[in-house]
Amino acid sequence: MRTISAHRPFHSVHVASAPRGVRELCLAYLPLMSEGAFFSHQTAAALLDVPLPSELAEGPLHISVAFPRTPPRGRGVLGHSLGSVTGELVDGLPLCVPAQVWCQLSGVLDREDLVAAGDHLVGARGRQPLAEIHELVDAADELHRTKGSRERLWALPRIRFGADSRPESLLRLLLEADGFTGLEVNRAVSLRRGRTILHPDLSIPEHRIAFEYEGDGHRVDRRQWHLDIERRDVLESEGWRVVRVTAHDLFGNRDAFRDRLRRFVTNVDIRGTKVDIRDESRG
């Protein structure tokens, strides 16, 4: 008879095969969850598909209970006793509500990534919102004296509906920090006399500038590559200037990217009243 190997991700928990991913790990721990305990922090964020920096994507399961209850302890678990804990079932797993998860993340994320997390929660054109901005504000107000309060205060007014990815959010913040104003997130652009509608990642419609983030999927997916070329051709045929941005620009060498932007846009008035644009090919 074949023996099924047992795995023990947690004390007194035996599973036939090692859990793959956060969800399977949470399901394995579920029999140990006490009433009133909820997956929280990075664990809840991963279950909600909130984008996190790679270094935070793995680690122990975060589980929170309301103070003064004793939080869970043990191998592979990091427990928290919090002043306020509200939860709900999401696909059969007890999670802290998204607005509280966002506040919890403010203790571990930098403020730019906290904006990206908020952008994800408030939704986009193809993604239903998990939280309304007023829910984030209310949760932050309730926790105004806790860790991360400054980061939450900075991030809240910068959260926008419409971002499709963490890099798009970080790109917007970088551009805003460099003085670009009037940025629209995935706003519809009508071209070819209304026959074609495109949604640039970021745009300044008043000056016909579009910023398109191109991740590895754009490079290795042949169909996506051709679509990107067609999108750029259509935009440029109607007088738009397109800036293509890669992961190297955002995460590798931002100084070089900023230099390229300065060559592309020779003079940007912070008030957004004057923009003098040069073609990249001349830079």
Side-chain angles (χ1 to χ4, degrees):
M1 174 182 283
R2 182 180 177 184
T3 301
I4 299 177
S5 62
H7 295 262
R8 298 183 60 188
F10 309 103
H11 179 68
S12 75
V13 172
H14 299 261
V15 293
S17 59
R20 294 174 296 178
V22 175
R23 176 170 173 77
E24 287 192 9
L25 202 58
C26 290
L27 287 170
Y29 187 82
L30 197 56
L32 303 180
M33 290 281 281
S34 60
E35 185 177 355
F38 301 94
F39 294 112
S40 62
H41 296 75
Q42 294 98 296
T43 302
L47 292 169
L48 295 171
D49 292 324
V50 175
L52 298 175
S54 58
E55 63 270 18
L56 296 179
E58 298 181 0
L61 293 184
H62 290 261
I63 300 172
S64 292
V65 297
F67 181 82
R69 291 186 57 188
T70 301
R73 297 184 177 89
R75 183 179 73 247
V77 173
L78 183 57
H80 306 266
S81 182
L82 306 178
S84 177
V85 177
T86 305
E88 59 188 9
L89 280 179
V90 177
D91 293 333
L93 293 173
L95 272 63
C96 287
V97 295
Q100 286 191 351
V101 173
W102 182 79
C103 290
Q104 294 160 3
L105 293 175
S106 66
V108 294
L109 295 181
D110 63 33
R111 58 189 193 178
E112 286 81 11
D113 269 314
L114 192 59
V115 173
D119 284 354
H120 176 84
L121 291 176
V122 300
R125 183 166 50 96
R127 188 179 69 250
Q128 290 295 316
L130 300 176
E132 302 292 341
I133 187 64
H134 71 84
E135 293 178 297
L136 302 183
V137 171
D138 291 345
D141 285 345
E142 186 177 356
L143 303 171
H144 69 281
R145 293 184 178 179
T146 60
K147 183 179 180 181
S149 59
R150 291 184 179 180
E151 287 76 11
R152 294 192 293 269
L153 187 63
W154 185 90
L156 278 171
R158 292 171 171 83
I159 293 172
R160 301 273 294 277
F161 174 89
D164 286 330
S165 68
R166 172 178 177 248
E168 287 183 23
S169 297
L170 299 182
L171 173 60
R172 173 172 61 85
L173 294 175
L174 183 151
L175 293 172
E176 289 175 345
D178 278 2
F180 287 82
T181 60
L183 287 163
E184 299 285 350
V185 182
N186 276 298
R187 174 176 170 175
V189 173
S190 178
L191 303 165
R192 294 174 174 172
R193 297 183 179 180
R195 295 194 304 272
T196 301
I197 304 295
L198 297 180
H199 296 81
D201 295 339
L202 293 166
S203 63
I204 307 178
E206 180 183 358
H207 302 294
R208 294 194 176 188
I209 304 174
F211 299 90
E212 297 276 39
Y213 180 78
E214 300 181 2
D216 280 346
H218 295 254
R219 177 177 57 84
V220 300
D221 186 323
R222 187 176 182 85
R223 178 176 178 274
Q224 185 62 55
W225 182 54
H226 284 292
L227 287 174
D228 291 342
I229 292 174
E230 182 180 359
R231 281 165 60 90
R232 181 171 183 173
D233 286 347
V234 171
L235 284 165
E236 291 183 339
S237 71
E238 298 206 15
W240 283 70
R241 309 296 177 90
V242 181
V243 181
R244 300 167 70 187
V245 185
T246 67
H248 181 71
D249 295 323
L250 271 185
F251 306 109
N253 193 339
R254 283 195 172 190
D255 290 339
F257 176 52
R258 284 189 164 108
D259 288 342
R260 180 158 66 94
L261 284 177
R262 281 191 286 270
R263 293 195 301 271
F264 180 71
V265 180
T266 59
N267 182 26
V268 177
D269 190 308
I270 294 179
R271 295 184 301 275
T273 58
K274 181 181 179 183
V275 178
D276 180 18
I277 305 170
R278 290 196 309 176
D279 195 331
E280 264 188 309
S281 62
R282 300 177 185 174

